[in-house]
Amino acid sequence: VIMESAVDVHFFIRLIINLISVFILIRCYYAFSHHRENAASFILFGVGVFLVTALLNSVTVSMGFAFGLFAVFSMLRYRTEALGIKEMTYLFLVIAMALLAAVGNVAHWVLACLNGLVIAIALLLETRMMLPLCGEKDIEYEKIDLIHTDRQDELIADLRSRTGLDVNRVDVVSVSFLRDTAQLRMHYRMEQGS
């Protein structure tokens, strides 16, 4: 009886809105990062969260409890995997969309508009329209005399010539005077296709 009352026309409409929204969001993620495994996992995770939460909602589980359940589950599942901040953000957005679709008390058109807004913001932030495309790499550097703050321009010029990257800033992470090396974090501008 509970299952039949949970699966109605509104359930299927919200499922379709969730599927389309999550797919478009993760397609946006994939277009810029090309991590197929993450993209497929995020889509399946969004569908799973929606289905379980929508069915649990019919058994009077609060949205706070449902969100906490899946937040804890996702952290436990992904804590062994070295996910970056970007991947964790997309995972959070997928969970949020699924929970909003499953237990949110908003009209279908409002749900679709909210998801569309999230997708539009994500797409905008992935391009260089709002923020420049920048990358960073950690490297071990042997010319330790160039890490002095007075020689920052020489250091950047050396890194540009050796890496071919448009390096614009360098942070010294650590220095080993015993090995005469330094751990550097290079910040560089990326081209659109990089």
Side-chain angles (χ1 to χ4, degrees):
V1 177
I2 292 173
M3 183 69 85
E4 289 174 7
S5 65
V7 180
D8 58 2
V9 175
H10 295 291
F11 172 84
F12 286 110
I13 293 172
R14 287 178 177 272
L15 175 63
I16 290 168
I17 291 171
N18 183 60
L19 278 172
I20 293 171
S21 300
V22 167
F23 180 78
I24 294 171
L25 178 71
I26 298 308
R27 187 66 182 99
C28 169
Y29 162 79
Y30 179 75
F32 291 95
S33 65
H34 303 292
H35 295 287
R36 188 180 191 291
E37 296 82 15
N38 288 348
S41 298
F42 292 165
I43 291 171
L44 290 173
F45 201 86
V47 172
V49 168
F50 173 83
L51 291 174
V52 173
T53 308
L55 296 176
L56 283 178
N57 188 38
S58 64
V59 198
T60 64
V61 174
S62 72
M63 185 167 184
F65 175 77
F67 184 76
L69 176 72
F70 287 105
V72 168
F73 173 72
S74 66
M75 295 308 132
L76 289 175
R77 164 60 189 95
Y78 289 100
R79 72 179 184 156
T80 57
E81 201 60 40
L83 285 181
I85 293 172
K86 181 178 179 177
E87 284 74 21
M88 290 301 293
T89 303
Y90 275 96
L91 178 62
F92 174 78
L93 288 175
V94 165
I95 293 170
M97 283 180 162
L99 291 174
L100 187 60
V103 295
N105 290 327
V106 294
H108 297 148
W109 69 270
V110 174
L111 177 64
C113 288
L114 288 173
N115 287 350
L117 180 65
V118 170
I119 292 165
I121 291 171
L123 184 60
L124 191 63
L125 290 173
E126 286 286 1
T127 64
R128 67 172 70 219
M129 282 190 253
M130 287 192 67
L131 300 170
L133 294 177
C134 296
E136 60 180 46
K137 288 188 187 297
D138 290 345
I139 61 164
E140 188 172 0
Y141 189 70
E142 83 286 354
K143 293 185 179 180
I144 201 163
D145 56 316
L146 292 182
I147 67 167
H148 194 276
T149 55
D150 294 339
R151 300 185 73 184
Q152 189 77 204
D153 293 337
E154 292 176 68
L155 174 63
I156 289 173
D158 183 52
L159 290 171
R160 281 181 178 171
S161 68
R162 292 169 80 178
T163 63
L165 298 172
D166 186 11
V167 179
N168 60 349
R169 194 176 95 225
V170 178
D171 298 328
V172 178
V173 177
S174 65
V175 178
S176 171
F177 290 109
L178 184 63
R179 293 177 39 208
D180 274 344
T181 60
Q183 290 293 326
L184 303 179
R185 181 166 293 129
M186 297 186 313
H187 301 271
Y188 58 94
R189 285 181 280 277
M190 295 169 30
E191 291 301 319
Q192 184 71 30
S194 296

